[in-house]
Amino acid sequence: MSYCVETKSKALAKGLEPLNHQDLSKFLTSDPESACKVIELMVEGTKRARAVIWNTFKELEESELEALSQDFPNPHFLIGPFHKYFPASSSSLLAQDQTSISWLDKHPPKSVLYVSFGSIVKLEKSEFLEIAWGLANGKQPFLWVVRPGSIEGSEWLEPLPDGFLERIVDGRGYIVKWAPQQDVLAHRATGGFWTHNGWNSTLESICEGVPMICSPAFGDQLPNARYVSDVWKIGVELENGFEREEIESAIKRVMVNAEGLEFRNKITNLKWKVNRCLEKGGSSYSSLEDLVNYIRSF
């Protein structure tokens, strides 16, 4: 019998270092035993597969993939980042507000914090208010994606606190329902990304050399955020949820302080590695060739 147990422990998860117990993937479910069974079946199915294709690149996770290959002896093909093979608009789930780009055009390089928590995450009204005041107090220009229906009990921006819009009347903040994320991250004005750390968003930020503020909620977002903050050292994680003081501090760490320059240097190096891996002779390019040859061998 299997059980899914959520824990707040910060002790390292044995065999999964550098993850803490609190970083292990978690999901809300009314039937934990069935949910665990599904995960077990996924693992068993992966072990039986003829090969595994990964949306990552060798230079980012080589040691982790080597460890996995001990339990998953099938061939592994690291051909990511996937989104580099397709136009950005082809993967958008919602209508993109292109005014985001014209607004960014008005700002200096690396000055804007882009804020987006993806297409699934929902926020309590109290969390939304803390985010709003954290952004206002952070004193950095920000582009904030607030997805309609993403705030519990609200259609869109109704919960904005009194006085908030007056604080950003100078154009320091811009709120949209959805943004062309890959274009925003690639824009010269974007200097930081406050994200939920879904794998797609995390990879997109790495590909454009944009340091991150991490607010993971569930699933793979939790270990992804730990790698961003503690392994790759290209951003910071908000350890206490949404608290305006910690948000303000994180914005300064990533966007203003010398620590932010260190994050930028490290993630710029990863960006260079991404570009190299996709070129002829690069790791992902070669792995894709190997995959094609592998398929043709049957």
Side-chain angles (χ1 to χ4, degrees), residues 188-221:
R188 61 175 181 78
T190 303
F193 180 19
W194 185 3
T195 172
H196 65 307
N197 284 113
W199 185 239
N200 288 337
S201 290
T202 301
L203 264 188
E204 288 167 5
S205 201
I206 289 172
C207 287
E208 301 303 337
V210 180
M212 286 167 266
I213 298 173
C214 306
S215 291
F218 56 83
D220 69 317
Q221 300 167 13

Side-chain angles (χ1 to χ4, degrees), residues 10 20 41 71 73 109 118-119 133 146-147 157 163 176 183 187 202 215 219 230 235 259-261 263 272 280:
K10 291 190 176 182
N20 301 323
L41 291 173
D71 293 318
S119 57
W133 284 124
V146 181
R147 195 180 75 253
L157 299 179
V176 297
D183 293 334
H187 197 283
T202 301
S215 291
D230 289 14
E259 187 179 13
L261 181 59
F263 296 148
W272 180 86
K280 188 172 183 177

Side-chain angles (χ1 to χ4, degrees), residues 245-262:
E245 293 83 5
E246 187 179 10
I247 292 168
E248 179 182 354
S249 174
I251 292 172
K252 291 178 180 177
R253 289 177 65 188
V254 170
M255 304 289 293
V256 180
N257 298 347
E259 187 179 13
L261 181 59
E262 296 177 10

Side-chain angles (χ1 to χ4, degrees), residues 126-127 129-135 137-138 161 194 241-251:
S126 59
E127 294 175 325
L129 293 175
E130 290 298 303
I131 293 169
W133 284 124
L135 290 171
N137 297 337
W194 185 3
F242 297 103
E243 294 182 358
R244 66 185 71 182
E245 293 83 5
E246 187 179 10
I247 292 168
E248 179 182 354
S249 174
I251 292 172

